[in-house]
Amino acid sequence: LDLLDDHPAPSPRCTALAAGLSEELTREEDAAVPAAAPAPPAMAPDTPLWDDGSLPLFPLQPPRTPREVLADHITAMVCCAAMDTAGATPGLDWLDGPSLLVKGERAADLAPKVLSLIEYGDPAPLRAWLTEIGIRPEKPVRLV
């Protein structure tokens, strides 16, 4: 979501929600980390000092901003609603990763609608998209 940096400051409600989500994620991550790591085993004289097996396979990513977390959560809720009410299916794009397939086609126009809601507090584009796709907003989302 590199597009987030090009927009003006989000609304105060979005900022508060994004901050709350970030705090919750931080608490969950802290709870998942064990309190004390076990002591490393004693090294034998013939043990190499460099262990290639412990290096990360991918470069470390910078921490996500609260706006990115909020955008991911809203997008996930929209995708759940689309799967529940409009018959959408999850997909996987080789370049972009997870995607939403609506009537067999990738829904590439969802991200700008979500960003409009987060950045400007304008729900109209997302509501219009939901109606166009056939998602009923009054039906609760079923999380399985």
Side-chain angles (χ1 to χ4, degrees), residues 92-98 106:
L92 185 62
D93 184 86
W94 70 274
L95 184 59
D96 296 329
R106 184 171 177 255

Side-chain angles (χ1 to χ4, degrees), residues 26-89:
T26 302
R27 280 193 296 268
E28 288 178 7
E29 289 172 355
D30 290 344
V33 175
M43 292 181 59
D46 58 343
T47 303
L49 295 175
W50 185 262
D51 181 17
D52 289 335
S54 65
L55 294 176
L57 298 176
F58 300 102
L60 298 176
Q61 300 295 319
R64 296 186 307 164
T65 65
R67 289 188 307 179
E68 290 173 332
V69 171
L70 180 60
D72 288 346
H73 278 75
I74 291 173
T75 302
M77 289 302 294
V78 169
C79 290
C80 288
M83 291 173 60
D84 279 351
T85 63
T89 56

